[in-house]
Structure formats: C-alpha cells, structure tokens
Amino acid sequence: MGRFEGMSVLITGAAGGFGLKLAQRFAAEGAALVLSDLDAGRLDAAAAGLDAQVATLAGDVADEALSRDLVALALSRFGRLDVAVNNAGIVHDFMKLPQIPSDLARRVFEVDLLGVFFAMKHQIPAMEAQFREKKLRGTIVNVASVAGIAGAPKLGVYAAAKHGVVGLTRSAAAECATKGVRVNAVCPSFARTAMVTDMLGDDNAAGEAELTRGVPMRRLAETDEIAEVVLFAADPKNSFMTGQTLAADGGITAI
C-alpha cells in the first residue's frame, strides 16, 4: 500500500516541472489528485497521463477565487483534503534590482507570495475542520527556494517573494501546531525544469556551468530529487516536523 493511499492531494503548477513530477509520484503512492495550472491544455494532458483519480481546475493562483475553488473541489470530489502542495511559481530574468520593471515585480509577488497566502488562507480552515470533526490530519508543503533563505543577487524580487513564503510557512505552522495541520517549506536550488532551462541561453552546457558554479555538487537538481523531499515533508509518518525549511540545494547553504 502506498504512503498516501486513500488520501486527497492538491498540487498547483501541476502541468510541468516539479508539479507534474509530484503528481506522478503521489499517484504512484495511491493518492487521489486535485491538480491546477494556468495552462488548461497542458493540465488536461498531464492529468490524462496519470493512473489515479484526478480532478482538475485551471486558473491563476494570483486570483484568490482559484484557491477557494480548489479546496471546494477536493472536498466535493474526494470528501477530504489531506495534503496541499503550493508549487506554482514564476521567476524573473537575472537583473539588478533597479532594473526590474515594477509591473514584473508586482506579478512575481502576486504569483509567488500572494498565491501561497491565498492557498493557505483556504486550505487551513478546511484541514482544521476535518481534524476537529474526523481527526484527519492535514499537511501543507510550500515550494519556496534556496533564494528564500539566502540572498540571490540579480533575482532580488524573486528572493523577496520566496523569503515571504518561508515567513508564511513558519507563522502558519506555529498557529496550526495544535490543530492537526503541519506546514513546511521545501527550498530547492536550480533544478532541471523549463523555468530554469529557459534561462540557460543557446549554449546549455555553458549556461548550466554558470548557474551551478556556486553549488558544491556542481550540477542542477533533477525534478525527482526535489519531489522526494516534498513527499518526505508530506508523509503522514513524518508527524512531528512542522515550520521547517528543507533545503534541497546541492550544498549551497552548507558554505
């Protein structure tokens, strides 16, 4: 039996990258899935390739209504919400802080920080209610970044948003500690996702070497490596860990 057999798992940004890998891994562990992404076509294609019960709802995490509706979808389709992985996010190009366009900065904050706030605002009450009524525990995993626990030159707005995610994670964990809800964050460094590989330029090898020169392991993370950390954080057997930031960063924060 899988670790998440009979459970309902909500994942945002599920059409590619970490989100799609997470959907595959949770499905293999027996979970029913509620998946969301901005790209409805890619979301439908991703869902069609999964061997699991799947409900989908496309939309923009910067719109609070989507977070409300995703929780309602989980409860109406599966009767419970056990795990929420707030994964959807965007990044801006490398540029010094004064060069970042204000409208781009606003969009990064709306998606990467407010999107997580809206998600937890609706996920937490649902999880607390099912704990009170049925003793079903819930867990939230926010996908932050190593840029959320250290400075990130030329990624200043992205780093600020991810620092905010870490702050929300720790604060919510303390608030929910006696209410049956755990909240943790996973903080990857650069990984082999489209969001990262699109930044590499024409010479992928040179671009990858430049991105990873500050990583002791000298390589990008693979999506499955980050998914493994998320599943560890979400595992119901991992019941005494909350409010933590789990750095999956190839050793960056060790130096």
Side-chain angles (χ1 to χ4, degrees):
M1 180 179 291
R3 282 182 283 177
F4 300 94
E5 196 75 36
M7 294 186 180
S8 166
V9 177
L10 189 165
I11 305 169
T12 63
F18 295 147
L20 178 56
K21 178 59 69 173
L22 286 165
Q24 294 166 345
R25 291 289 305 274
F26 276 109
E29 294 276 7
L33 303 174
V34 177
L35 306 180
S36 184
D37 198 275
L38 185 62
D39 189 323
R42 291 179 65 217
L43 179 63
D44 289 342
L50 296 170
D51 184 16
Q53 296 182 73
V54 182
T56 62
L57 181 62
D60 186 346
V61 295
D63 178 358
E64 182 178 351
L66 176 66
S67 293
R68 177 199 66 204
D69 294 344
L70 284 169
V71 171
L73 179 59
L75 297 178
S76 64
R77 284 290 300 273
F78 305 120
R80 56 196 288 172
L81 176 59
D82 300 282
V83 177
V85 183
N86 299 315
N87 165 70
I90 59 174
V91 67
H92 57 81
D93 290 338
F94 288 106
M95 62 185 89
K96 291 183 178 179
L97 194 148
Q99 300 170 336
I100 302 172
S102 296
D103 57 346
L104 175 58
R106 185 174 294 107
R107 178 61 178 164
V108 171
F109 282 128
E110 286 174 347
V111 173
D112 290 5
L113 180 54
L114 278 178
V116 174
F117 164 70
F118 292 146
M120 290 200 294
K121 180 179 177 181
H122 293 276
Q123 293 159 3
I124 288 169
M127 289 180 174
E128 288 181 347
Q130 69 186 16
F131 179 68
R132 286 194 309 270
E133 297 162 9
K134 304 176 184 178
K135 297 303 177 187
L136 295 175
R137 296 182 180 274
T139 186
I140 295 171
V141 183
N142 296 320
V143 178
S145 168
V146 69
I149 51 178
K154 297 188 178 180
L155 287 174
V157 168
Y158 177 76
K162 293 300 188 178
H163 270 75
V165 170
V166 169
L168 286 174
T169 298
R170 290 171 171 162
S171 301
E175 293 174 3
C176 300
T178 61
K179 299 178 180 178
V181 182
R182 296 187 301 111
V183 189
N184 293 288
V186 171
C187 298
S189 58
F190 294 114
R192 202 175 301 283
T193 65
M195 190 168 78
V196 171
T197 56
D198 287 349
M199 301 165 67
L200 296 180
D202 295 332
D203 187 343
N204 279 13
E208 185 170 333
E210 176 64 21
L211 274 185
T212 59
R213 64 189 175 91
V215 181
M217 285 189 175
R218 294 292 192 274
R219 65 176 178 86
L220 298 176
E222 301 299 333
T223 55
D224 203 51
E225 292 177 303
I226 307 305
E228 188 64 38
V229 182
V230 173
L231 266 69
F232 167 74
D235 193 325
K237 291 184 178 179
N238 190 11
S239 54
F240 201 57
M241 186 182 77
T242 194
Q244 300 306 302
T245 52
L246 305 178
D249 63 1
I252 291 174
T253 51
I255 57 176

